[in-house]
Amino acid sequence: MNDLSDVIEADRAHVWHHLTQHKPLETNDPRIIVEGKGIRVWDQSGREFLDAVSGGVWTVNVGYGRTAIADAVHAQLVKMNYFAQSVGSIPGSEFAKKLIEKMPGMSRVYYVNSGSEANEKVFKMVRQIAHKKYDGKKTKILYRDRDYHGSTLATMSAGGQDERVMQFGPLAPDFVRVPHCMEYRAQWDLTGAEYGRKAADAIEEVILREGPETVGLLCLEPVTAGGGVIEAPEGYWERVQEICKKYDVLLHIDEVVCGMGRTGKWFGYQHYGIKPDFVTMAKGVASGYAAIAITVTTEEVFNLFKDDPSDKMNYFRDISTFGGCTAGPAAALANMQIIEDENLLENTTKMGERMLANLNKLAEKHEVIGDVRGKGLFVGAELVQNRETKEPAEEAKVGAVVAACNARGVIIGATNRSVPGFNNTLCFSPALIATADDIDEICNAVDEALTEVFGG
């Protein structure tokens, strides 16, 4: 019963894995993750791993083996599994109400099945608003260097990680990049809040260059994820909000990674006192127990699509087939209940502080750690060859650190296929249930891996 050789061969012969060069799998077995419990997973050989990346891509926020979520999904599927979201469902209505209670100022929930799709819906809404309200002129969508918003052609067009879009062009028009806000790799000779305001002012410069009458949306991650786990300096978000209001630009916050507790609040933007027009989310909404993603917007935006019912074009003419699946909101309800019942926002804050402290202590020992940063259980450690010049560590050596941690039974991540020359940040996003012992085990593995790869 434990012989998985047929599964391994079926995988090797027929499965096209994501983000994977398959040539090595002609002679090496693909990895099959067989089971998960809590914060740990087991592969086909029976090896146990502490998962410090929540399913590889920041998703399994409440951990593996949650029978409460599985039972909720099972019960809902037996009762009513699907109907197109042109009508309603019980879990869809119930989760929308509960979600909006966590998001003051927001009011409308649009269900889809992936983060890329959730972001694309915003882009379509903004383009339609441009035609309805601005004579077709405010179609340009601004996005930030190093940010990531998805893998469809439109969301790649809003991608600030050049390696992720190479060879996929030509991309969609009217997507315009603005500078990043990363103080560690400063573009201006300023620090702190002055740097934050200057980075935001750079957005205003782009708006003025393009023409405010042409710019409809600014799309930002609250904490940049795959571009290096980057939190904006003080002063940045207040100035961003001012600029959006000044030029009548809608503000879209992409919470696909940060949403549902990852940063210690329900949503990352809630740390910064901003009021977005759109918020998108996916990964942690149901912790991977069902496919669900959401575009949330304000009543003001929603009302723009119903002001003239006599016009057959005057509504959001869009559908997401699997936005009508009831498993997603059923799982999301149970997922949110777990976060509340187990005080996981508080735990995330405490364990995040512990991880940052541990990694900063490691930086005293390992010169290769140039910068430690993050929010909650969303943490990065940038590796450099020289702290003075901040020359990035070699990508192969960063990969070797990940492999060395894996050999010690700890799965961590690293920026890759992202910013050319800057794929040098170790990434950590353990489940929100992580304990102090889990955090210490992760950091101990990193300590040993850095010594193995870089010496010291």
Side-chain angles (χ1 to χ4, degrees):
M1 291 178 62
N2 294 322
D3 181 6
L4 295 179
S5 58
D6 287 349
V7 173
I8 293 168
E9 289 311 310
D11 184 288
R12 193 198 316 274
H14 304 297
V15 176
W16 194 334
H17 291 278
H18 302 178
L19 295 174
T20 300
Q21 169 54 256
H22 281 67
K23 191 65 177 178
L25 297 184
E26 293 179 1
T27 53
N28 297 295
D29 285 348
R31 173 183 277 182
I32 310 291
I33 298 297
V34 175
E35 186 176 359
K37 187 69 176 177
I39 200 170
R40 298 175 187 273
V41 297
W42 287 262
D43 69 10
Q44 72 263 34
S45 65
R47 282 201 64 197
E48 177 183 327
F49 298 88
L50 192 164
D51 176 11
V53 283
S54 294
V57 287
W58 312 305
T59 298
V60 189
N61 281 14
V62 299
Y64 299 97
R66 290 287 192 170
T67 56
I69 303 180
D71 290 346
V73 170
H74 175 267
Q76 179 57 49
L77 292 181
V78 171
K79 184 175 182 179
M80 183 64 192
N81 66 305
Y82 175 85
F83 205 93
Q85 190 60 27
S86 51
V87 301
S89 72
I90 290 174
S93 300
E94 290 178 343
F95 184 66
K97 180 176 184 294
K98 191 164 186 177
L99 178 62
I100 291 302
E101 289 172 355
K102 312 292 187 191
M103 305 178 72
M106 311 304 288
S107 70
R108 294 286 171 168
V109 170
Y110 193 93
Y111 288 114
V112 295
N113 73 323
S114 74
S116 298
E117 192 181 7
N119 288 331
E120 186 132 348
K121 300 311 181 191
V122 174
F123 301 161
K124 290 178 71 175
M125 290 176 186
V126 169
R127 292 284 170 86
Q128 193 171 346
I129 290 169
H131 289 281
K132 285 169 51 60
K133 189 177 178 182
Y134 300 104
D135 196 28
K137 293 180 179 178
K138 284 179 82 70
T139 58
K140 290 179 182 176
I141 292 165
L142 306 185
Y143 65 94
R144 187 171 57 192
D145 187 33
R146 287 181 172 259
D147 279 7
Y148 175 79
H149 301 294
S151 58
T152 63
L153 277 173
T155 54
M156 281 195 298
S157 302
Q161 299 173 18
D162 290 341
E163 286 190 359
R164 293 194 180 274
V165 303
M166 288 177 179
Q167 301 179 7
F168 291 127
L171 301 176
D174 277 6
F175 288 87
V176 181
R177 186 176 300 197
V178 301
H180 67 71
C181 60
M182 187 182 188
E183 187 176 352
Y184 180 68
R185 297 203 169 274
Q187 300 170 82
W188 304 281
D189 188 20
L190 299 167
T191 59
E194 287 187 345
Y195 189 91
R197 287 191 291 271
K198 179 63 177 177
D201 287 343
I203 298 173
E204 183 176 34
E205 292 171 8
V206 173
I207 293 173
L208 292 173
R209 183 193 73 206
E210 296 293 324
E213 73 283 359
T214 72
V215 178
L217 183 76
L218 173 62
C219 178
L220 301 170
E221 290 185 273
V223 178
T224 296
V229 190
I230 304 161
E231 186 181 12
E234 291 182 19
Y236 181 79
W237 287 108
E238 297 92 332
R239 183 71 182 118
V240 164
Q241 189 88 70
E242 290 175 4
I243 291 166
C244 287
K245 289 182 178 178
K246 181 177 180 180
Y247 297 105
D248 192 20
V249 173
L250 295 168
L251 178 59
H252 168 198
I253 302 297
D254 177 349
E255 294 272 356
V256 169
V257 173
C258 295
M260 216 52 63
R262 173 59 57 193
T263 65
K265 290 186 180 291
W266 285 107
F267 296 96
Y269 77 89
Q270 293 172 341
H271 291 278
Y272 309 114
I274 52 178
K275 296 179 179 180
D277 300 287
F278 301 96
V279 178
T280 48
M281 62 195 76
K283 298 178 185 291
V285 173
S287 288
Y289 286 83
I292 182 174
I294 301 170
T295 299
V296 181
T297 190
T298 62
E299 200 70 6
E300 182 179 6
V301 169
F302 177 74
N303 285 338
L304 292 173
F305 292 87
K306 63 171 189 174
D307 55 340
D308 184 4
S310 66
D311 180 356
K312 68 177 184 178
M313 302 290 280
N314 193 40
Y315 63 95
F316 188 46
R317 301 178 318 283
D318 178 275
I319 186 169
S320 170
T321 297
F322 294 112
C325 289
T326 61
L333 279 163
N335 184 73
M336 183 176 277
Q337 194 65 53
I338 288 169
I339 294 172
E340 291 180 324
D341 291 347
E342 299 182 12
N343 298 316
L344 294 186
L345 298 184
E346 180 181 352
N347 186 68
T348 297
T349 299
K350 289 182 178 179
M351 292 303 103
E353 290 171 352
R354 186 181 188 92
M355 175 160 272
L356 286 170
N358 283 3
L359 291 173
N360 277 310
K361 189 172 182 179
L362 288 185
E364 297 174 7
K365 177 180 178 181
H366 298 280
E367 289 273 332
V368 70
I369 298 179
D371 193 36
V372 174
R373 50 188 183 252
K375 201 81 170 173
L377 285 172
F378 185 27
V379 177
E382 181 164 351
L383 305 186
V384 295
Q385 298 187 49
N386 183 296
R387 284 186 178 177
E388 294 300 317
T389 65
K390 301 180 183 178
E391 182 181 355
E394 295 175 25
E395 190 168 341
K397 287 191 173 182
V398 177
V401 173
V402 174
C405 285
N406 185 80
R408 289 163 172 78
V410 176
I411 303 172
I412 70 168
T415 51
N416 58 80
R417 295 170 290 268
S418 179
V419 181
F422 291 93
N423 292 308
N424 63 313
T425 300
L426 303 179
C427 300
F428 309 93
S429 54
L432 313 189
I433 61 173
T435 66
D437 287 344
D438 294 328
I439 298 301
D440 293 347
E441 183 176 346
I442 295 166
C443 295
N444 288 339
V446 172
D447 183 12
E448 293 177 6
L450 290 173
T451 299
E452 177 183 324
V453 176
F454 292 97

